[in-house]
Amino acid sequence: MSVTIPQLRAFAAVVDHRSFSVAAVALGVSQSAVSHAISTLEREISGPLLVRSSGVTPTALGAQLIPRARTVLAAVDALEASVREHSGEHSGTVRLAAVPTVCQGLLPGLLQLWSARLPRVDVQVFEGDDEELPEWLDSGLVDAAILVDPKDRDKRSRLVASDVFRALVRRDHPLAAQAEIPLAELIEDGLISSTGGCEEQVRRIHELAGIRYAATQRVRELGTLLSLVRQGLGVGVMPSLGEAMLPAELVLVPLTPRLQRELVICGPASRPWHPLAEALVDSLDGPSPETTRRAGELLLA
């Protein structure tokens, strides 16, 4: 069996984009080249990898092989980056994952910092929830991630920011003008919780308050949470970085008990770090530019 790197790149791109044409654009090749690469790969392994219908999806075999393909591609990308680094050049693409509140509240400042300090490094952002990010790191879908309160931290990881959880209410809510809102008073209006992120920390706040956690509504997407609170169907709890996502009708108010979360940038635990992931972490040393300090004033020196 003779499997090539271009075949694996085409396979991963089609799975990621669910489209041959979009994958071709992402790879900078023709659609026929992508189709040929997939077809020859399927012949090499003697089985179909993709279901070719509206919205291309992996077959059972494809789903089994894509994590291994990503691991191989991550190793190849890291090798190429290591060669460039040996010649004194930080260049190439590094894939970074983060949760929605970090993507909107912190990453814009970080991307400006990295653009200034690593001008030849292209940081591709992948947005996911708390449960997805560690899996993406392990599978090789991403090279680095900003994790929320990671339990096991690699010595090379870096605490980039911390923020506190606040009450999410409408601006015309009776409690919106208070200096802080006790959790017991907040949840009287019905708590809407997002299972796609921070639910573990919301449960912890309930434990600190000695209150049983019982959300009246549990939704996956943070956008759905914001929409329901905006319509007056309940209240929420979210980190202060999420303020960048709020529509004009909503406001974040300090909450008691107070709980802080830590945001840590790290690489995979199961394989060597991508050199450019290490470069992202190393570049955070030293004074931060004003553009990054304005990202909620959360970036740590």
Side-chain angles (χ1 to χ4, degrees), residues 11-194:
F11 175 38
V14 172
V15 171
D16 289 343
H17 298 288
R18 299 172 61 87
S19 165
F20 279 78
S21 59
V22 178
V25 172
L27 293 172
V29 299
S30 67
Q31 183 173 337
S32 62
V34 172
S35 297
H36 178 71
I38 297 296
S39 297
T40 53
L41 178 59
E42 290 177 326
R43 284 198 297 271
E44 286 291 338
I45 64 174
S46 301
L49 294 172
L50 300 167
V51 177
R52 293 162 172 81
S53 60
S54 56
V56 183
T57 57
T59 62
L61 177 60
Q64 180 182 353
L65 295 185
I66 188 62
R68 299 185 185 279
R70 294 194 197 283
T71 299
V72 171
L73 292 173
V76 170
D77 289 344
L79 184 147
E80 293 174 348
S82 295
V83 172
R84 291 190 293 269
E85 184 182 39
H86 182 71
S87 63
E89 176 187 358
H90 282 309
S91 66
T93 298
V94 59
R95 297 160 297 181
L96 174 71
V99 295
T101 51
V102 172
C103 286
Q104 298 216 21
L106 183 64
L107 265 185
L110 285 175
L111 291 174
Q112 289 186 50
L113 181 147
W114 287 323
S115 178
R117 296 183 177 174
L118 300 167
R120 301 189 66 181
V121 174
D122 176 29
V123 182
Q124 291 187 352
V125 176
F126 289 66
E127 184 178 277
D129 62 38
D130 289 330
E131 294 182 355
E132 290 174 325
L133 267 54
E135 296 175 0
W136 290 354
L137 271 177
D138 289 341
S139 70
L141 176 62
V142 298
D143 306 303
I146 298 179
L147 301 180
V148 177
D149 293 333
K151 294 180 174 61
D152 299 312
R153 286 182 53 182
D154 186 284
K155 64 181 180 180
R156 292 166 294 176
S157 64
R158 169 73 183 265
L159 176 66
V160 292
S162 60
D163 65 345
V164 297
F165 285 83
R166 294 184 175 177
L168 173 68
V169 297
R170 286 176 54 96
R171 288 189 179 275
D172 58 2
H173 191 282
L175 300 176
Q178 293 188 187
E180 59 183 29
I181 301 176
L183 178 66
E185 293 184 24
L186 176 71
I187 61 178
E188 288 179 0
D189 287 336
L191 178 68
I192 303 171
S193 181
S194 170

